[in-house]
Amino acid sequence: MATVSAPMPGVLVAFTRGLAIFRPLALAYAGVLAWVHRADMTRPSAAIATFAVLAIWSLIASWRRTITLRMAAIDLTLASAGIAATSLAYPRATVVAGALTLPGIWSSSGVVAAAIAGGTRWGIVGATVISIADLASVITPNFGTIHNIVLLYLLGALIGLSTSLARESQRLFEISVRAQEAYAERERLARIVHDGVLQTLAYVHRRGTEIGGESAELGILAADQERSLRALVSGRATPTAAATDVDIAAWLHTLVAPGITVSAPAEAVTMPSARAREIQAAVEGALENVRRHAGPDARTWILLEDLGDQVSLTIRDNGAGMPSGRLAEAAAEGRLGIASSIHGRLVDLGGTATWDSAPGRGCTVTLRAPKDLEPLARPAARPDSARTTALREARRAGIPAPIPKEER
């Protein structure tokens, strides 16, 4: 599958284009200076070879119109080699006296490239490489050498800082755009829910109250769900239980039944109630999968482990199992039983959910999540995330969604 890279921030685009223009101009200027001082050279062939190599690379780098750390490394290597070649083209005494290096200001292109590709840190690394080459060339640094080194460090650090800030601004901009898209999607879903589901629930409430009997109880449930869903789509907080800790171990023991065995620590394993409800819903989803797909004679074992700041739950059955790749097929078909009710909940909690199964070998579901951690930001929306998002927000509002047709 082809991947689409994030757009490059405008500042980086400008720096990249500017460097593509700077390379040949700086090399031309260095060539003019070398021509002016050609009478001082003892080996002009060394200068000609140096400028030929730098010219070829400048054309290639400018034509590519992109900057990577690998290209920056080539820039720095060629610049260092050009500085070293200065001692071949000029007499040693001339070089030590402070003669300009063959690459001249072209050497700074490697520093700029490193800063653009890697930010401040790599900009400083690039400046260090060229500085070492300069110092090795003259042995005893003079004022001009120190002056150039200071400029190189300032150049690498400031351009690196600019590119780092540009990338951070781009990241924040993309987050803002995604938030606006999510809000627009929420508004769209709110309209759909208001025009369909809320009116249906209101009708069920009204008719149930009119009919009476068991229908009245159904009407009361419909009214409760209508209030919760209306609060959800309007953005108001829904009343929830007090923010107390829940003993997961004690709750698991309530699941013990014929065919279900629970193993848990003797001590309480507590979590904040909101997080515990998500764990409980994930466990119930896994048990529902066993009831639906493992077979009538399947047994289930639930193991709870207290890992300090995390809890681990293993739900294992000896049922029919499922073939490799079945989970991916179910998600691709839009069946959200596992993808949303189990995996989605654990991801929202900052945890993980894994499956291990094969035909005839049963299935093992392992859930792991931090005990107390704010839900992590969900990744960027997938193409089919509108339905998933609606189901998750409905769960947070306490609205039980219909059990989907799950696939093991």
Side-chain angles (χ1 to χ4, degrees):
M1 180 181 296
T3 57
V4 179
S5 59
M8 184 183 295
V11 174
L12 268 66
V13 173
F15 276 137
T16 302
R17 292 177 178 174
L19 184 58
I21 298 172
F22 172 79
R23 280 193 184 99
L25 292 180
L27 186 61
Y29 177 66
V32 170
L33 292 179
W35 175 260
V36 170
H37 297 90
R38 65 187 183 279
D40 298 333
M41 294 184 183
T42 55
R43 295 185 182 89
S45 59
I48 294 173
T50 298
F51 283 114
V53 172
L54 296 183
I56 293 172
W57 171 246
S58 295
L59 291 176
I60 295 174
S62 298
W63 174 74
R64 292 191 62 179
R65 293 189 178 182
T66 184
I67 297 176
T68 63
L69 286 176
R70 179 178 296 181
M71 293 180 64
I74 295 175
D75 273 323
L76 294 171
T77 300
L78 293 179
S80 300
I83 293 172
T86 304
S87 296
L88 298 177
Y90 290 98
R92 185 62 185 164
T94 303
V95 175
V96 173
L100 292 175
T101 61
L102 289 176
I105 60 174
W106 190 94
S107 300
S108 62
S109 62
V111 179
V112 175
I116 294 174
T120 304
R121 181 178 62 179
W122 286 104
I124 293 176
V125 169
T128 301
V129 171
I130 301 302
S131 298
I132 292 174
D134 280 337
L135 292 174
S137 175
V138 299
I139 305 299
T140 303
N142 52 41
F143 174 78
T145 304
I146 300 300
H147 177 74
N148 291 337
I149 289 175
V150 172
L151 291 179
L152 285 173
Y153 274 105
L154 289 175
L155 183 69
L158 293 178
I159 291 183
L161 177 61
S162 299
T163 57
S164 298
L165 292 176
R167 288 189 176 92
E168 179 66 12
S169 298
Q170 179 76 11
R171 186 185 70 83
L172 294 176
F173 173 75
E174 292 173 356
I175 291 175
S176 176
V177 169
R178 287 198 296 269
Q180 292 177 359
E181 292 174 348
Y183 179 78
E185 178 67 11
R186 181 191 181 98
E187 290 294 302
R188 187 185 70 83
L189 290 175
R191 290 192 296 270
I192 294 174
V193 169
H194 180 271
D195 294 340
V197 180
L198 287 177
Q199 293 183 13
T200 301
L201 289 173
Y203 176 76
V204 171
H205 174 219
R206 185 173 66 253
R207 289 294 296 154
T209 303
E210 293 173 355
I211 297 173
E214 295 182 355
S215 297
E217 297 179 4
L218 180 62
I220 294 173
L221 291 176
D224 290 340
Q225 301 311 312
E226 180 193 0
R227 284 192 294 270
S228 298
L229 188 55
R230 193 177 296 279
L232 172 66
V233 299
S234 65
R236 300 194 308 269
T238 54
T240 58
T244 58
D245 288 344
V246 173
D247 184 357
I248 296 293
W251 173 78
L252 284 176
H253 284 296
T254 65
L255 302 178
V256 174
I260 299 179
T261 302
V262 173
S263 297
E267 310 83 31
V269 181
T270 59
M271 294 180 67
S273 58
R275 299 179 66 81
R277 285 195 298 272
E278 295 295 299
I279 293 290
Q280 292 167 357
V283 172
E284 290 169 351
L287 293 177
E288 180 63 23
N289 278 344
V290 174
R291 285 190 288 268
R292 285 173 172 264
H293 307 290
D297 299 326
R299 292 186 55 84
T300 305
W301 293 267
I302 304 175
L303 171 65
L304 172 65
E305 298 177 87
D306 188 348
L307 304 179
D309 60 344
Q310 292 186 334
V311 294
S312 175
L313 277 156
T314 304
I315 302 98
R316 181 173 64 88
D317 68 71
N318 62 350
M322 62 180 172
S324 176
R326 192 66 191 96
L327 291 179
E329 292 177 9
E333 294 168 1
R335 294 169 179 170
L336 302 178
I338 287 177
S340 179
S341 67
I342 300 177
H343 181 264
R345 281 189 164 97
L346 270 295
V347 170
D348 285 350
L349 294 175
T352 58
T354 59
W355 283 261
D356 181 16
S357 182
R361 292 176 48 193
C363 180
T364 301
V365 182
T366 303
L367 312 177
R368 178 172 293 190
K371 288 182 179 178
D372 190 1
L373 180 71
E374 289 298 321
L376 300 180
R378 289 190 292 276
R382 300 184 296 273
D384 61 343
S385 64
R387 182 181 175 190
T388 303
T389 302
L391 288 173
R392 289 182 185 174
E393 294 199 355
R395 288 199 306 271
R396 291 193 183 96
I399 303 171
I403 297 174
K405 183 179 180 181
E406 297 168 279
E407 292 290 336
R408 290 298 302 273

